[in-house]
Amino acid sequence: MFVDWSYALRDWHTYLDAGWLSLKLSLEAFALAFALGLLGALARRSRHLALRLPAAVYVEVVRNTPVLLQMFVAYFVLPSAGLRLSPVQAGVLALGVNVGAYLTEIFRAGIDAVPDGQREAARVLALSPVRTFAHVVLPQALRNVYPAVVNQLVQIILGSSLLSAISVPELTGTAMVINSRTLLTVQVFGIAAVLYLLLTNAVVLAAGLVGRVAFRPPLRPAPKRRALRRLLPKEA
């Protein structure tokens, strides 16, 4: 058994390259999904039906069809319409469009959760709608939905394994190739599973550090802590 594991680990550099490609594609797809989600949330909250209707159709169609089917559409169907994409480009597009639909609803919920008093205060200060959204609403909305957004990034990393269906040499696809050559199924896919665990946990840890820096807690003590201090006996 030890010999089998050592033989499977001879391709460690191939695993690392594939893992790096999975992370790179996931970050690119997340950037696209973030932009689509933010624009979609604004369109969903618009007063104009011409903006709300396409955004609603986008969300419903994408969230109710398989992501693998969306990858096949991007890779096999779009070329017939004159848009030829490489497997990597098609995969990034499909993942970004898919997760963008979920982020649309997440961002919309975060924006709706911002109290109306914040917007009224911005109007009193004569801030324009754009500045109000950028400096008042958006920071609070992102703080509200930050854990859900990080979860979608993790889902993109895990969903990148489906890109092997369109011949992208990411981690799962590379593991399948190595397994077909070595026939060490347990070892090969065990190594791939460990790498996925390391990738996702590293991303969650990094996102947690970013969240601590970007969304600082309030400076005043919590209400429960103040109430506890009133109950404690005063020192002589």
Side-chain angles (χ1 to χ4, degrees):
M1 180 64 70
F2 179 77
V3 175
D4 292 341
W5 280 98
S6 62
Y7 184 73
L9 287 171
R10 289 172 57 185
D11 295 309
W12 62 269
H13 59 283
T14 306
Y15 289 110
L16 292 181
D17 291 341
W20 168 247
L21 179 61
S22 295
L23 179 61
K24 179 182 176 182
L25 297 181
S26 298
L27 293 177
E28 292 175 356
F30 180 74
L32 175 60
F34 191 94
L36 290 176
L38 191 57
L39 292 176
L42 294 176
R44 291 277 278 168
R45 299 185 74 258
S46 174
R47 294 176 295 178
H48 304 287
L49 181 62
L51 294 177
R52 291 200 313 271
L53 184 59
V57 171
Y58 161 63
V59 170
E60 292 302 318
V61 169
V62 171
R63 292 203 305 173
N64 291 284
T65 54
V67 62
L68 184 59
L69 177 62
Q70 295 164 18
M71 291 180 185
F72 288 156
V73 170
Y75 187 56
F76 296 111
V77 178
L78 290 183
S80 63
L83 182 59
R84 296 189 175 276
L85 300 175
S86 67
V88 170
Q89 292 171 336
V92 170
L93 176 63
L95 284 177
V97 169
N98 180 267
V99 177
Y102 292 91
L103 287 180
T104 294
E105 293 302 293
I106 291 173
F107 286 146
R108 185 175 70 151
I111 294 172
D112 290 341
V114 177
D116 292 334
Q118 301 288 328
R119 300 179 179 86
E120 295 174 0
R123 284 195 293 269
V124 170
L125 295 174
L127 294 180
S128 66
V130 174
R131 295 186 63 186
T132 298
F133 178 77
H135 299 288
V136 178
V137 176
L138 184 59
Q140 297 182 68
L142 289 178
R143 180 170 188 155
N144 293 335
V145 301
Y146 187 71
V149 172
V150 174
N151 182 64
Q152 291 300 313
L153 174 56
V154 172
Q155 293 303 315
I156 286 183
I157 295 175
L158 300 179
S160 66
S161 62
L162 296 174
L163 297 182
S164 59
I166 55 175
S167 69
V168 176
E170 44 72 53
L171 186 53
T172 298
T174 300
M176 294 172 64
V177 172
I178 296 175
N179 178 63
S180 65
R181 187 178 72 246
T182 62
L183 300 180
L184 299 174
T185 304
V186 175
Q187 291 80 3
V188 169
F189 289 109
I191 294 171
V194 170
L195 287 177
Y196 275 117
L197 286 171
L198 292 176
L199 278 177
T200 54
N201 280 278
V203 167
V204 170
L205 178 61
L209 295 176
V210 171
R212 291 182 182 181
V213 174
F215 309 113
R216 297 179 180 177
L219 297 178
R220 292 181 299 177
K224 291 183 179 179
R225 194 170 297 175
R226 292 201 301 269
L228 180 61
R229 288 177 180 176
R230 287 197 296 268
L231 294 175
L232 292 175
K234 295 183 179 179
E235 296 180 359

